[in-house]
mmCIF file of all heavy atoms in Angstrom:
data_model
loop_
_atom_site.group_PDB
_atom_site.id
_atom_site.type_symbol
_atom_site.label_atom_id
_atom_site.label_comp_id
_atom_site.label_asym_id
_atom_site.label_seq_id
_atom_site.Cartn_x
_atom_site.Cartn_y
_atom_site.Cartn_z
ATOM 1 N N SER A 13 -33.457 -1.843 4.779
ATOM 2 C CA SER A 13 -32.682 -0.682 4.393
ATOM 3 C C SER A 13 -32.012 -1.109 3.112
ATOM 4 O O SER A 13 -31.523 -2.147 2.991
ATOM 5 C CB SER A 13 -31.626 -0.397 5.526
ATOM 6 O OG SER A 13 -30.768 -1.397 5.664
ATOM 7 N N SER A 147 -30.354 -11.456 7.492
ATOM 8 C CA SER A 147 -29.426 -11.970 8.508
ATOM 9 C C SER A 147 -29.652 -11.430 9.826
ATOM 10 O O SER A 147 -29.506 -10.177 10.007
ATOM 11 C CB SER A 147 -27.917 -11.543 8.032
ATOM 12 O OG SER A 147 -27.704 -12.097 6.859
ATOM 13 N N CYS A 148 -30.152 -12.187 10.855
ATOM 14 C CA CYS A 148 -30.534 -11.725 12.091
ATOM 15 C C CYS A 148 -29.437 -11.118 12.832
ATOM 16 O O CYS A 148 -28.236 -11.580 12.709
ATOM 17 C CB CYS A 148 -31.102 -12.900 13.055
ATOM 18 S SG CYS A 148 -30.051 -14.163 13.481
ATOM 19 N N TYR A 149 -29.682 -10.002 13.403
ATOM 20 C CA TYR A 149 -28.681 -9.276 14.311
ATOM 21 C C TYR A 149 -27.460 -8.734 13.395
ATOM 22 O O TYR A 149 -26.637 -8.152 13.958
ATOM 23 C CB TYR A 149 -28.070 -10.116 15.504
ATOM 24 C CG TYR A 149 -29.209 -10.468 16.520
ATOM 25 C CD1 TYR A 149 -29.869 -11.595 16.505
ATOM 26 C CD2 TYR A 149 -29.546 -9.525 17.377
ATOM 27 C CE1 TYR A 149 -30.975 -11.969 17.503
ATOM 28 C CE2 TYR A 149 -30.603 -9.678 18.333
ATOM 29 C CZ TYR A 149 -31.299 -11.047 18.274
ATOM 30 O OH TYR A 149 -32.121 -11.260 19.228
ATOM 31 N N SER A 150 -27.620 -8.986 12.202
ATOM 32 C CA SER A 150 -26.509 -8.423 11.189
ATOM 33 C C SER A 150 -25.140 -8.910 11.668
ATOM 34 O O SER A 150 -24.241 -8.027 11.655
ATOM 35 C CB SER A 150 -26.606 -6.928 11.068
ATOM 36 O OG SER A 150 -27.837 -6.616 10.599
ATOM 37 N N GLY A 151 -24.985 -10.010 12.292
ATOM 38 C CA GLY A 151 -23.767 -10.449 12.687
ATOM 39 C C GLY A 151 -23.485 -10.360 14.229
ATOM 40 O O GLY A 151 -22.412 -10.706 14.738
ATOM 41 N N ALA A 152 -24.336 -9.743 15.028
ATOM 42 C CA ALA A 152 -24.034 -9.584 16.463
ATOM 43 C C ALA A 152 -23.933 -10.895 17.140
ATOM 44 O O ALA A 152 -23.107 -11.015 18.143
ATOM 45 C CB ALA A 152 -25.229 -8.713 17.136
ATOM 46 N N ARG A 158 -20.264 -6.817 19.885
ATOM 47 C CA ARG A 158 -21.342 -5.879 19.553
ATOM 48 C C ARG A 158 -22.266 -5.732 20.790
ATOM 49 O O ARG A 158 -22.995 -4.826 20.752
ATOM 50 C CB ARG A 158 -21.996 -6.435 18.366
ATOM 51 C CG ARG A 158 -21.238 -6.277 17.081
ATOM 52 C CD ARG A 158 -22.090 -6.432 15.892
ATOM 53 N NE ARG A 158 -21.369 -6.484 14.609
ATOM 54 C CZ ARG A 158 -21.715 -6.072 13.353
ATOM 55 N NH1 ARG A 158 -23.062 -5.917 13.254
ATOM 56 N NH2 ARG A 158 -20.966 -6.272 12.313
ATOM 57 N N ARG A 163 -26.195 1.991 20.361
ATOM 58 C CA ARG A 163 -27.044 1.729 19.121
ATOM 59 C C ARG A 163 -26.540 2.463 18.061
ATOM 60 O O ARG A 163 -26.484 1.821 16.880
ATOM 61 C CB ARG A 163 -28.455 2.345 19.377
ATOM 62 C CG ARG A 163 -29.300 2.269 18.255
ATOM 63 C CD ARG A 163 -30.817 2.722 18.492
ATOM 64 N NE ARG A 163 -31.389 1.743 19.315
ATOM 65 C CZ ARG A 163 -32.157 0.774 18.814
ATOM 66 N NH1 ARG A 163 -32.179 0.572 17.419
ATOM 67 N NH2 ARG A 163 -32.878 -0.021 19.575
ATOM 68 N N GLN A 166 -23.789 0.205 16.607
ATOM 69 C CA GLN A 166 -24.393 -1.000 16.067
ATOM 70 C C GLN A 166 -24.944 -0.633 14.651
ATOM 71 O O GLN A 166 -24.733 -1.432 13.752
ATOM 72 C CB GLN A 166 -25.496 -1.516 16.981
ATOM 73 C CG GLN A 166 -25.047 -2.161 18.314
ATOM 74 C CD GLN A 166 -26.090 -2.485 19.224
ATOM 75 O OE1 GLN A 166 -27.209 -2.154 18.970
ATOM 76 N NE2 GLN A 166 -25.850 -3.486 20.152
ATOM 77 N N GLU A 167 -25.628 0.402 14.494
ATOM 78 C CA GLU A 167 -26.110 0.890 13.340
ATOM 79 C C GLU A 167 -24.978 1.041 12.292
ATOM 80 O O GLU A 167 -25.069 0.772 11.035
ATOM 81 C CB GLU A 167 -27.043 2.066 13.423
ATOM 82 C CG GLU A 167 -28.370 1.882 14.075
ATOM 83 C CD GLU A 167 -29.162 3.049 14.339
ATOM 84 O OE1 GLU A 167 -28.605 4.200 13.992
ATOM 85 O OE2 GLU A 167 -30.335 2.860 14.758
ATOM 86 N N ALA A 169 -22.156 -0.447 12.405
ATOM 87 C CA ALA A 169 -21.648 -1.783 12.042
ATOM 88 C C ALA A 169 -22.464 -2.501 10.949
ATOM 89 O O ALA A 169 -21.979 -2.999 10.031
ATOM 90 C CB ALA A 169 -21.622 -2.589 13.274
ATOM 91 N N ASN A 170 -23.767 -2.286 10.939
ATOM 92 C CA ASN A 170 -24.701 -2.714 10.035
ATOM 93 C C ASN A 170 -24.499 -2.149 8.734
ATOM 94 O O ASN A 170 -24.560 -2.622 7.661
ATOM 95 C CB ASN A 170 -26.182 -2.631 10.417
ATOM 96 C CG ASN A 170 -27.203 -3.248 9.525
ATOM 97 O OD1 ASN A 170 -27.014 -4.389 9.092
ATOM 98 N ND2 ASN A 170 -28.130 -2.497 9.173
ATOM 99 N N GLU A 171 -24.293 -0.732 8.701
ATOM 100 C CA GLU A 171 -23.992 0.032 7.485
ATOM 101 C C GLU A 171 -22.699 -0.531 6.805
ATOM 102 O O GLU A 171 -22.468 -0.650 5.622
ATOM 103 C CB GLU A 171 -23.892 1.553 7.767
ATOM 104 C CG GLU A 171 -25.159 2.132 8.232
ATOM 105 C CD GLU A 171 -25.008 3.510 8.557
ATOM 106 O OE1 GLU A 171 -23.811 4.108 8.646
ATOM 107 O OE2 GLU A 171 -26.021 4.251 8.992
ATOM 108 N N ALA A 198 -30.241 -5.220 2.854
ATOM 109 C CA ALA A 198 -29.791 -5.803 4.057
ATOM 110 C C ALA A 198 -30.896 -5.592 5.116
ATOM 111 O O ALA A 198 -31.198 -4.391 5.335
ATOM 112 C CB ALA A 198 -28.444 -5.411 4.421
ATOM 113 N N SER A 199 -31.257 -6.482 5.866
ATOM 114 C CA SER A 199 -32.309 -6.349 7.000
ATOM 115 C C SER A 199 -31.671 -6.145 8.319
ATOM 116 O O SER A 199 -30.511 -6.655 8.556
ATOM 117 C CB SER A 199 -33.222 -7.459 6.857
ATOM 118 O OG SER A 199 -32.590 -8.707 7.426
ATOM 119 N N SER A 200 -32.328 -5.539 9.224
ATOM 120 C CA SER A 200 -32.083 -5.409 10.580
ATOM 121 C C SER A 200 -30.967 -4.533 11.008
ATOM 122 O O SER A 200 -29.880 -4.417 10.430
ATOM 123 C CB SER A 200 -31.607 -6.761 11.174
ATOM 124 O OG SER A 200 -32.676 -7.758 11.014
ATOM 125 N N ARG A 201 -31.097 -3.941 12.224
ATOM 126 C CA ARG A 201 -29.952 -3.263 12.849
ATOM 127 C C ARG A 201 -29.299 -4.366 13.671
ATOM 128 O O ARG A 201 -29.761 -5.530 13.735
ATOM 129 C CB ARG A 201 -30.430 -2.205 13.897
ATOM 130 C CG ARG A 201 -31.090 -1.041 13.125
ATOM 131 C CD ARG A 201 -31.396 0.007 14.130
ATOM 132 N NE ARG A 201 -32.097 1.285 13.587
ATOM 133 C CZ ARG A 201 -33.346 1.347 13.310
ATOM 134 N NH1 ARG A 201 -34.204 0.450 13.625
ATOM 135 N NH2 ARG A 201 -33.742 2.416 12.706
ATOM 136 N N ALA A 202 -28.189 -4.052 14.276
ATOM 137 C CA ALA A 202 -27.285 -5.165 14.939
ATOM 138 C C ALA A 202 -28.039 -5.776 16.068
ATOM 139 O O ALA A 202 -27.613 -6.791 16.373
ATOM 140 C CB ALA A 202 -25.926 -4.612 15.214
ATOM 141 N N ASP A 203 -28.928 -5.073 16.758
ATOM 142 C CA ASP A 203 -29.454 -5.562 17.916
ATOM 143 C C ASP A 203 -30.890 -6.039 17.764
ATOM 144 O O ASP A 203 -31.727 -6.191 18.715
ATOM 145 C CB ASP A 203 -29.548 -4.576 19.012
ATOM 146 C CG ASP A 203 -30.254 -3.354 18.648
ATOM 147 O OD1 ASP A 203 -30.629 -3.171 17.523
ATOM 148 O OD2 ASP A 203 -30.543 -2.488 19.536
ATOM 149 N N GLU A 204 -31.365 -6.321 16.457
ATOM 150 C CA GLU A 204 -32.688 -6.701 16.116
ATOM 151 C C GLU A 204 -32.753 -8.055 15.450
ATOM 152 O O GLU A 204 -31.839 -8.348 14.569
ATOM 153 C CB GLU A 204 -33.436 -5.594 15.309
ATOM 154 C CG GLU A 204 -33.637 -4.360 16.007
ATOM 155 C CD GLU A 204 -34.239 -3.349 15.031
ATOM 156 O OE1 GLU A 204 -34.164 -3.541 13.872
ATOM 157 O OE2 GLU A 204 -34.798 -2.276 15.618
ATOM 158 N N THR A 205 -33.744 -8.757 15.795
ATOM 159 C CA THR A 205 -34.118 -9.954 14.876
ATOM 160 C C THR A 205 -34.834 -9.584 13.660
ATOM 161 O O THR A 205 -35.854 -8.719 13.719
ATOM 162 C CB THR A 205 -34.979 -10.926 15.722
ATOM 163 O OG1 THR A 205 -34.236 -11.296 16.965
ATOM 164 C CG2 THR A 205 -35.249 -12.298 14.844
ATOM 165 N N SER A 206 -34.306 -10.022 12.546
ATOM 166 C CA SER A 206 -34.932 -9.640 11.320
ATOM 167 C C SER A 206 -36.264 -10.210 11.029
ATOM 168 O O SER A 206 -36.600 -11.308 11.709
ATOM 169 C CB SER A 206 -34.130 -9.946 10.023
ATOM 170 O OG SER A 206 -33.870 -11.310 10.064
#
Side-chain angles (χ1 to χ4, degrees):
S13 67
S147 302
C148 71
Y149 294 100
S150 300
R158 293 196 184 199
R163 175 173 289 273
Q166 290 173 344
E167 290 178 354
N170 187 48
E171 290 173 2
S199 67
S200 301
R201 295 183 177 91
D203 62 345
E204 293 178 340
T205 301
S206 61

